[in-house]
């Protein structure tokens, strides 16, 4: 059985339809528990009142308080409310689909915000209703992956609209927001006709798609093919340059960037590049030694790569052959102020996860690549996935542990590189899609399966 994340999912795609991703991985021999009854609470989770306002100390917000509703433990003074869950009726007549993954929050103006939410669905999953149109089909039926959008009152979080905003894609894992008001949703599915796991598919998959936050309806799904075809995970846009940085969920992934011909107009095409360290470092994973030391940065450069539509799904291998730095399962990526962070799910000597900091070179300065954090124990940090930068400067990382049973946390990491628990999910599934509201008051996050989207607030620093 393959160890590749893509292969592990698709090898059991047909036999295990309409179940959680954890059930797929369990079927392949990975040590996961099936969803337990206690983890799949169907009772409404009201906003939970908690006293106190302790604020963040040097190592976080203090101990987690047990959630009386049994879903999400948070520090004292914090509370959450449920905004959306699997099967809820949406305003377009469909129902909320399962497998909520990456998500972005964007300001729509006039006191409204939008959450654009990925659904990591495979062709045999339930779409949540009839799909009128979409990018790809399998045996003539539109494949169910894509996005939904939730429009909220920015002050009260009242749901004003909820609708399917993209369809016809496969395994929309994560993505990233753009400075011009859209969400880039990424297919973690380089498959297609005549390829492995491509039976019945009409088109190649493994692309990035763009979804305007203010669309108000399902948009036409147009693949941004110049951004490459690979096992896409997430994306972030540098607002100074318009360059898009892209991660890849493979054990032997590399880091990419896309230089658009027209910043802000990704459909106009551009150049795809991969990252190379100028000192010759070729492996950042630290699985066999310590090529990367915490706090030490290296100068990097970027090399063009051709044949980016990659019918052989070989971009990373061609990049590595030319000196591309290997990253262990590049997943979450988020842009801060003149720097961005990348989460490596299984990197590090203990294979528990790493976080890298990359500083783009402006005005002739070097691009810099640094190991910002590496976990040394499961209690510290265990398989980080999606991440975001909080308004107060910490990273907030969603865990996707490979443990039995699953015990996933929201982990904060301070600017000094100290990890702390911020939340614990009492469901047998992963946390995903963490993002802050534009005003910094709310933190939104998903429980993957069954889909639950919540908003957290409290005494942020």
């Amino acid at each position: 059985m393959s160890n590749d994340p893509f292969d592990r999912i698709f090898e059991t795609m047909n036999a295990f339809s309409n179940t959680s991703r954890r059930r797929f991985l369990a079927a392949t021999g990975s040590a996961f528990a099936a969803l337990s009854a206690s983890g799949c609470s169907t009772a409404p989770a009201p906003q939970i009142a908690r006293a106190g306002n302790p604020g963040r100390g040097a190592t976080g917000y203090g101990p987690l308080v047990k959630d009386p509703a049994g879903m999400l433990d948070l520090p004292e003074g914090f509370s959450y409310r449920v905004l959306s869950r699997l099967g809820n009726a949406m305003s377009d007549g469909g129902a909320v689909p399962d497998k909520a993954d990456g998500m972005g929050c964007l300001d729509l103006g006039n006191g409204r915000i939008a959450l654009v939410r990925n659904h990591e669905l495979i062709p045999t999953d339930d779409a949540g209703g009839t799909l009128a149109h979409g990018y790809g089909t399998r045996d003539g039926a539109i494949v169910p992956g894509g996005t939904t959008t939730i429009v909220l009152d920015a002050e009260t979080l009242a749901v004003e609209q909820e609708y399917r905003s993209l369809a016809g894609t496969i395994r929309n894992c994560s993505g990233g927001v753009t400075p011009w008001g859209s969400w880039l949703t990424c297919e973690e599915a380089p498959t297609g006709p005549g390829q492995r796991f491509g039976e019945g598919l009409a088109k190649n998959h493994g692309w990035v798609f763009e979804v305007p936050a203010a669309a108000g309806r399902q948009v036409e799904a147009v693949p941004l093919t110049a951004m490459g075809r690979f096992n896409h995970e997430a994306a972030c846009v540098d607002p100074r340059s318009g360059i898009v940085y892209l991660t890849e969920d493979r054990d032997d992934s590399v880091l990419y960037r896309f230089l658009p011909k027209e910043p802000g107009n990704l459909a106009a095409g551009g150049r795809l590049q991969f990252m190379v360290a100028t000192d010759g470092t070729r492996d950042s994973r630290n699985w066999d030694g310590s090529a990367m030391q915490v706090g030490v940065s290296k100068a990097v450069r970027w090399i063009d790569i051709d044949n980016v539509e990659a019918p052989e799904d070989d971009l990373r291998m061609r990049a590595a052959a030319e000196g591309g730095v290997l990253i262990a399962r590049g997943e979450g990526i988020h842009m801060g102020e003149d720097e961005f962070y990348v989460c490596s799910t299984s990197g590090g000597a203990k294979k528990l996860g790493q976080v890298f900091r990359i500083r783009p070179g402006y005005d002739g300065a070097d691009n810099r690549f640094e190991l910002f954090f590496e976990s040394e124990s499961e209690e510290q940090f265990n398989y980080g996935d999606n991440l975001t930068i909080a308004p107060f400067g910490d990273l907030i990382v969603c865990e996707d542990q490979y443990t039995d049973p699953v015990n996933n946390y929201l982990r904060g990491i301070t600017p000094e590189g100290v990890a702390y628990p911020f939340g614990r999910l009492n469901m047998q599934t992963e946390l995903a899609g963490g993002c802050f509201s534009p005003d910094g008051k709310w933190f939104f996050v998903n429980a993957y399966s069954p889909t639950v989207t919540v908003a957290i607030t409290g005494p942020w620093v």
Side-chain angles (χ1 to χ4, degrees):
M1 188 67 68
S2 171
N3 287 323
D4 187 277
F6 170 75
D7 289 350
R8 288 201 304 267
I9 296 293
F10 276 85
E11 281 169 351
T12 51
M13 183 174 69
N14 297 326
F16 294 88
S17 61
N18 301 319
T19 55
S20 74
R21 181 158 69 102
R22 298 225 171 262
R23 288 188 186 271
F24 292 129
L25 293 173
T28 68
S30 297
F32 288 115
L35 288 172
S36 67
S38 62
C40 299
S41 170
T42 58
Q47 180 151 351
I48 300 166
R50 295 193 176 125
N53 188 351
R56 186 175 78 79
T59 56
Y61 287 93
L64 304 183
V65 178
K66 189 70 176 175
D67 176 11
M71 189 174 78
L72 183 63
D73 303 339
L74 295 168
E76 186 177 0
F78 285 85
S79 62
Y80 72 86
R81 67 176 67 176
V82 173
L83 302 176
S84 175
R85 62 169 74 240
L86 175 65
N88 280 3
M90 298 194 296
S91 48
D92 62 359
V96 174
D98 204 9
K99 299 181 180 177
D101 210 310
M103 182 167 65
C105 184
L106 296 108
D107 190 352
L108 299 180
N110 298 316
R112 298 158 68 240
I113 57 176
L115 293 172
V116 188
R117 176 180 59 185
N118 280 0
H119 295 274
E120 196 184 30
L121 301 171
I122 62 170
T124 49
D125 282 331
D126 184 1
T130 302
L131 300 173
H133 59 92
Y135 168 70
T137 61
R138 184 187 191 221
D139 297 329
I142 297 168
V143 292
T147 63
T148 56
T149 299
I150 310 171
V151 178
L152 303 167
D153 181 287
E155 183 63 31
T156 67
L157 296 193
V159 177
E160 297 184 358
Q161 189 181 14
E162 188 170 13
Y163 60 94
R164 167 71 77 148
S165 47
L166 186 85
T169 52
I170 300 174
R171 293 195 68 220
N172 297 65
C173 198
S174 192
V177 298
T178 72
W180 51 89
S182 62
W183 169 252
L184 301 177
T185 180
C186 301
E187 283 188 303
E188 194 180 2
T191 186
Q195 298 160 55
R196 196 176 188 191
F197 315 121
E199 295 84 359
L201 294 178
K203 296 181 178 181
N204 276 345
H205 292 261
W207 309 112
V208 178
F209 297 79
E210 188 167 9
V211 182
R217 57 178 174 77
Q218 184 181 322
V219 303
E220 292 295 329
V222 179
L224 300 172
T225 56
M227 297 181 75
R229 178 174 180 262
F230 53 90
N231 210 45
H232 280 280
E233 176 71 25
C236 73
V237 181
D238 184 345
R240 289 185 56 170
S241 64
I243 293 173
V244 185
Y245 295 88
L246 302 156
T247 57
E248 179 179 27
D249 189 358
R250 298 276 200 183
D251 289 338
D252 56 347
S253 74
V254 298
L255 185 64
Y256 303 92
R257 75 174 187 179
F258 177 70
L259 282 66
K261 290 180 181 177
E262 302 175 19
N265 180 12
L266 302 179
R271 292 154 46 211
L272 189 69
Q273 301 179 319
F274 60 91
M275 186 183 73
V276 173
T278 59
D279 72 349
T281 298
R282 299 180 71 117
D283 194 336
S284 71
R285 298 174 295 184
N286 286 349
W287 288 350
D288 300 306
S290 298
M292 298 292 295
Q293 297 289 329
V294 173
V296 176
S297 76
K298 299 175 181 285
V300 295
R301 59 191 177 94
W302 301 86
I303 298 178
D304 287 356
I305 190 165
D306 59 9
N307 192 19
V308 300
E309 296 186 18
E312 303 299 323
D313 183 26
D314 62 349
L315 281 182
R316 71 196 186 282
M317 291 175 277
R318 287 192 277 127
E322 295 186 46
V325 178
L326 294 179
I327 294 173
R329 298 191 58 193
E331 297 210 56
I333 184 171
H334 193 87
M335 192 76 205
E337 186 173 346
D338 296 342
E339 63 184 17
F340 63 93
Y341 292 81
V342 170
C343 196
S344 162
T345 291
S346 56
K350 300 291 181 67
K351 297 187 177 182
L352 294 171
Q354 298 167 307
V355 177
F356 296 100
R357 172 163 52 198
I358 297 90
R359 292 191 167 103
Y362 302 113
D363 303 321
D366 285 341
N367 286 245
R368 309 295 300 185
F369 176 65
E370 173 191 341
L371 179 58
F372 172 70
F373 174 86
E374 181 169 307
S375 180
E376 298 177 351
S377 71
E378 292 182 1
E379 292 72 27
Q380 186 183 42
F381 185 92
N382 189 355
Y383 266 49
D385 193 328
N386 297 165
L387 61 73
T388 191
I389 301 173
F392 48 88
D394 291 5
L395 297 178
I396 303 293
V397 187
C398 299
E399 281 189 342
D400 182 13
Q401 294 184 10
Y402 284 22
T403 56
D404 183 8
V406 174
N407 189 31
N408 280 317
Y409 282 80
L410 292 170
R411 298 284 186 186
I413 305 179
T414 70
E416 296 74 34
V418 178
Y420 61 89
F422 174 70
R424 178 180 179 272
L425 184 66
N426 296 302
M427 295 170 62
Q428 290 295 290
T429 192
E430 69 177 279
L431 288 151
C435 55
F436 279 87
S437 60
D439 64 5
K441 179 180 178 181
W442 297 97
F443 176 73
F444 304 101
V445 70
N446 297 316
Y448 177 83
S449 180
T451 288
V452 185
T453 300
V454 304
I456 298 170
T457 194
W460 308 110
V461 174

